[in-house]
Amino acid sequence: MNRSNRLTKESLPISQQAKHTHDHDLEHNHTDHTPGSGESVHPHVHSEESLRRIVNRLSRIEGHVRGIKTMVQQSTPCPDVLLQIAAVRGALDRVARIVLDEHLTECVARAAKEGNMEFEIEQLKAALDRFLP
């Protein structure tokens, strides 16, 4: 296997590293994104640092996916492409873990204080049913 084609963040051109920073509204509403539903579930307040960390990780993943697309266009050996796809899967799983951890520590805890824990648990179960294979 040719390791010279192995894609890393450092090997991407600056334009593909997707350095992505901008301000986000710290209070936002999560909605049910299933077709035909647009009602707000509940307001969320997340720290600026947490949002920046998640967005930066997703931006790096986005750049990585573009790099994989380039690899395919350049006829990079399939095992090398598959290795990079596995890396993206792992990175997405790590972002999902961060989002879930944050949801449990912030959102579920807030629901417990506000007395709407049953609704929050049902929403989490529905999301996990769609998320998990």
Side-chain angles (χ1 to χ4, degrees):
M1 177 158 60
N2 183 356
R3 291 283 180 192
S4 65
N5 288 328
R6 189 160 186 209
L7 183 65
T8 64
K9 180 183 172 214
E10 292 77 26
S11 68
L12 288 173
I14 297 289
S15 63
Q16 286 189 345
Q17 287 183 19
K19 298 238 180 200
H20 178 91
T21 57
H22 62 274
D23 293 328
H24 286 273
D25 186 13
L26 295 183
E27 186 170 329
H28 59 278
N29 291 325
H30 286 240
T31 57
D32 182 357
H33 296 287
T34 55
S37 175
E39 291 196 27
S40 176
V41 176
H42 58 271
H44 278 70
V45 179
H46 297 284
S47 72
E48 185 176 334
E49 175 61 31
S50 173
L51 289 174
R52 185 177 359 190
R53 185 173 58 150
I54 292 168
V55 168
N56 285 342
R57 283 177 176 260
L58 289 170
S59 293
R60 285 193 302 272
I61 293 167
E62 182 180 36
H64 201 154
V65 170
R66 283 193 306 271
I68 295 170
K69 180 180 175 184
T70 300
M71 290 174 72
V72 170
Q73 290 169 333
Q74 294 174 350
S75 298
T76 300
C78 296
D80 293 342
V81 173
L82 290 171
L83 181 66
Q84 295 310 311
I85 291 171
V88 167
R89 278 185 178 168
L92 280 171
D93 286 344
R94 287 186 292 278
V95 169
R97 176 61 190 258
I98 291 168
V99 170
L100 179 60
D101 285 347
E102 176 122 344
H103 183 70
L104 292 173
T105 58
E106 299 294 328
C107 306
V108 173
R110 185 172 30 256
K113 287 179 187 174
E114 295 171 357
N116 57 350
M117 191 66 170
E118 284 184 36
F119 177 76
E120 191 67 37
I121 294 297
E122 288 305 314
Q123 291 294 312
L124 179 58
K125 284 180 181 179
L128 289 173
D129 284 345
R130 290 186 299 267
F131 175 74
L132 296 173

